[in-house]
Amino acid sequence: MSKDTTIASAPAPQKPTGQKPKGWRLFKLALQTRKSATMLGFGFSSGLPYALLIGTLNAWLGEVKIDLATIGVLSWIGLSYSFKFLWSPLVDRLALPGLERLGRRKSWIALCQGVLVLSFLGLAATDPARAIGTFALFAFLGALASATQDVAIDAWRIDVADEQTSVELLSSIYQFGYRIASIVGGALALVMAGRMSWPLVYVLMAGLIALIAVVTLRAPDTPRAEQGALHATLGQLGELAPRARGLALLVVGVSWAWAIGTIVAFMVRMLQPLAPGEKHPSVAAFTRETGPLIVLATVAVPLLVSAAINALKARRVAVLAAPDPAHGPLRTALNHLYVALVAPLAELVGRLRWGVLIVIGMILTYTLCYNMWASFAFPFYLEFLHYSKDEVAFASKLFGIFMTIAGISLGGFLFVRLGRMPTILIGAVLPILGNFVYADLAEGAPLIDRVGHAVGLHALFGAFGFDDRMVRLLLAISFENISTGIAGAAFVAYMSGIVSRSHTAVQYALLSSLTFLIGSLGRGIAGEAFDLYGYATVFRYAAAAGGLAVVFVLLEWLRVGRGAAASHAT
């Protein structure tokens, strides 16, 4: 039997038509072929590290009394997921010595899973209260491996899809595995931590990744494809000349490298041991003074370079006068980087012109209101509000997941009934209100109690055995998760509609990375602010920051409306 054939004894799933399979039917389909069963394992392998490194890890840090400013800085490891498109060309092109025989994608997935096992074991062997720098290094290594694994898994899913096991079915199975991993890495890990040590929890989670690595070794794979189409596209008449492409790539690449290097250098300074009498640098000062420069380097510089590229091509300056299909190893690598870093934004600038400033502003601010505090949820619930690990596991991860699904479903419904921009506006406003709900929760929940009793929610939850204290948490999480579910569904649909079909995957990856940029940077200053001013005050400031998103949504609504009116007029 070849690597690409399915298990002979299992019936092949039909290509999905109409409604997507869900629940138990989806699980049964996932086990019917080697490809779909592997996809279930890969979805689990992708979701587990994210849950453990970006969420659950902060519960451990809060328990050992790591200050919130440090937790905020450590949360910047999440930028690995935002910036993964930067090294995706490397994952796509480079054959790993000694591992390539496993397969084009499997080699990278297996490597990343091995690094994840080592990083989890490293976390388990390190006491964060005594060696936070070493602990952060293992966490960063794990986040980098997890983000890189995601790149390889996404490519694998597209590569192996066929008529019997379509990419739509594989994507659904991936999400199913990912959600299971979110529960295991979130709720189950918290419940386990209430009964055993945190290091043992991470050792057991490392064991789960090791089991999935066995699945990886038996997965099908595809041969390495030729890169001729890429070179043919960039070598067409009128395209930018190789030297001009190289210069544009150099400017953008140096800007991104400086931004990432600056963030990493500050993290190292913040997390390294202090000499007697020394103090850690201020996260607020870094964000205030250097944060705008990071945004300029990662957003403004690429936009200016993109505008310059479009101007050169419009004036037919520094462009190819004849087709140029020539390529070698260096040209191939540079072409991949150019397509990842420069071409998607250049296309967006050329298509939207000045409107791109509104679109980028909206992308940068839309998730700011709720992304800033996400890393502090577990310390807030466990250390500040003193809920037990079991209570938080149920409310945040089990009950919360159903509320998020409800929010996503409601967002899709509103998108169909109200339209794109009204739903996006609702998604921008509701998380602002959610911050006020959490501010009230931090101050004893007087308003939550009043509303909950008035509309009968306390009585409803009480019928299931929940006391008032637990009802407050459930109501706050319900509002937050439904709000962010609506916002997420609306924004994903918006992003999917704004990208070009000629740059769909890469452009979406680039724009989605910008979605988390300011929110991720803001986590550092939020952590310090929580320590200085308290949760309630910072929640209200975050709500005010969310007003920026509302402004940009209204401007985008006006831009889209004018564009539609102009197209009807012509």
Side-chain angles (χ1 to χ4, degrees):
M1 186 189 304
S2 68
K3 290 198 299 181
D4 289 340
T5 56
T6 57
I7 298 173
S9 60
Q14 299 298 313
K15 186 174 181 178
T17 57
Q19 193 173 8
K20 293 182 179 179
K22 297 179 181 179
W24 179 247
R25 181 167 175 261
L26 181 60
F27 183 71
K28 288 174 64 178
L29 285 173
L31 298 180
Q32 287 185 355
T33 70
R34 186 146 58 102
K35 288 179 182 178
S36 55
T38 301
M39 190 76 265
L40 182 66
F42 282 172
F44 187 89
S45 182
S46 181
L48 188 63
Y50 188 87
L52 291 170
L53 294 170
I54 305 303
T56 306
L57 193 70
N58 296 326
W60 183 356
L61 295 175
E63 186 174 294
V64 297
K65 307 304 180 186
I66 300 298
D67 62 85
L68 294 177
T70 302
I71 292 176
V73 171
L74 187 54
S75 73
W76 286 351
I77 65 171
L79 288 171
S80 300
Y81 297 92
S82 299
F83 294 160
K84 62 187 178 184
F85 73 93
L86 292 171
W87 58 87
S88 61
L90 182 68
V91 177
D92 183 63
R93 181 67 186 173
L94 181 63
L96 293 171
L99 290 177
E100 177 70 8
R101 61 187 178 84
L102 293 177
R104 178 189 180 194
R105 307 300 185 189
K106 285 167 56 178
S107 57
W108 279 96
I109 296 171
L111 173 65
C112 293
Q113 288 170 343
V115 175
L116 282 168
V117 170
L118 293 176
S119 69
F120 287 166
L121 294 177
L123 289 171
T126 307
D127 182 357
R130 296 174 178 268
I132 188 62
T134 304
F135 192 85
L137 181 61
F138 282 121
F140 175 74
L141 186 65
L144 192 63
S146 177
T148 306
Q149 178 189 232
D150 288 352
V151 172
I153 288 175
D154 288 340
W156 182 90
R157 180 172 67 247
I158 296 170
D159 286 348
V160 304
D162 54 29
E163 289 190 2
Q164 289 184 324
T165 316
S166 68
V167 70
E168 292 83 6
L169 176 62
L170 290 176
S171 297
S172 296
I173 293 170
Y174 172 86
Q175 290 297 329
F176 190 70
Y178 196 99
R179 289 193 186 110
I180 294 173
S182 297
I183 295 173
V184 171
L188 181 60
L190 281 178
V191 171
M192 291 168 63
R195 292 154 177 81
M196 63 183 71
S197 68
W198 278 110
L200 183 55
V201 171
Y202 275 76
V203 168
L204 294 175
M205 295 298 164
L208 290 178
I209 295 293
L211 287 176
I212 298 298
V214 177
V215 175
T216 301
L217 297 179
R218 296 212 18 99
D221 210 338
T222 55
R224 192 169 293 280
E226 293 295 327
Q227 305 297 322
L230 171 64
H231 307 303
T233 300
L234 294 178
Q236 291 178 357
L237 178 69
E239 286 294 326
L240 211 60
R243 186 168 295 180
R245 285 203 307 268
L247 180 60
L249 180 59
L250 177 65
V251 173
V252 174
V254 167
S255 297
W256 275 96
W258 174 84
I260 294 173
T262 301
I263 292 171
V264 171
F266 183 79
M267 287 180 67
V268 171
R269 288 171 54 205
M270 185 71 186
L271 298 172
Q272 68 185 4
L274 292 175
E278 286 187 341
K279 291 184 178 180
H280 283 303
S282 169
V283 183
F286 173 82
T287 307
R288 183 175 59 252
E289 297 166 7
T290 311
L293 297 178
I294 291 173
V295 175
L296 286 174
T298 55
V299 180
V301 170
L303 282 174
L304 290 173
V305 170
S306 298
I309 288 172
N310 290 332
L312 289 174
K313 292 174 72 172
R315 293 172 173 79
R316 303 193 67 79
V317 177
V319 298
L320 293 172
D324 178 25
H327 62 274
L330 180 59
R331 174 77 68 87
T332 297
L334 293 178
N335 282 349
H336 273 284
L337 289 172
Y338 181 83
V339 168
L341 296 179
V342 181
L345 208 52
E347 189 281 334
L348 195 70
V349 172
R351 177 159 45 92
L352 300 181
R353 303 181 67 82
W354 288 104
V356 74
L357 298 178
I358 297 175
V359 171
I360 295 297
M362 180 174 157
I363 287 171
L364 288 172
T365 59
Y366 194 81
T367 64
L368 176 65
C369 188
Y370 54 90
N371 263 346
M372 278 181 61
W373 92 276
S375 294
F376 309 99
F378 283 149
F380 175 62
Y381 299 142
L382 295 169
E383 306 305 319
F384 183 79
L385 297 178
H386 303 294
Y387 287 96
S388 71
K389 292 185 178 73
D390 287 2
E391 289 172 331
V392 173
F394 172 79
S396 179
K397 291 302 179 181
L398 293 177
F399 180 79
I401 284 176
F402 287 107
M403 293 300 101
T404 300
I405 293 173
I408 293 171
S409 301
L410 183 57
F413 173 79
L414 293 174
F415 215 86
V416 172
R417 294 302 300 267
L418 300 181
R420 181 173 67 165
M421 295 311 301
T423 305
I424 291 171
L425 181 61
I426 292 171
V429 171
L430 287 180
I432 295 175
L433 301 178
N435 273 265
F436 286 116
V437 170
Y438 271 89
D440 184 63
L441 183 64
E443 294 178 332
L447 292 178
I448 293 175
D449 282 347
R450 194 177 307 162
V451 172
H453 283 296
V455 300
L457 289 174
H458 275 70
L460 174 63
F461 281 103
F464 291 94
F466 297 110
D467 60 17
D468 280 358
R469 182 173 170 275
M470 189 64 180
V471 172
R472 293 165 190 157
L473 181 62
L474 292 173
L475 291 179
I477 287 177
S478 295
F479 189 91
E480 169 77 3
N481 288 19
I482 290 174
S483 299
T484 55
I486 292 172
F491 201 55
V492 165
Y494 169 78
M495 293 268 286
S496 300
I498 204 72
V499 298
S500 164
R501 290 187 177 181
S502 59
H503 295 84
T504 302
V506 180
Q507 198 171 78
Y508 188 90
L510 174 61
L511 295 179
S512 63
S513 74
L514 298 180
T515 303
F516 298 100
L517 178 62
I518 293 183
S520 297
L521 288 174
R523 288 173 191 167
I525 191 171
E528 189 170 290
F530 282 136
D531 279 331
L532 291 174
Y533 307 114
Y535 280 99
T537 300
V538 179
F539 280 134
R540 293 190 177 99
Y541 278 123
L548 290 173
V550 174
V551 172
F552 277 112
V553 169
L554 293 173
L555 291 173
E556 174 65 358
W557 197 343
L558 181 63
R559 184 192 73 83
V560 170
R562 285 181 174 177
S567 64
H568 284 307
T570 57

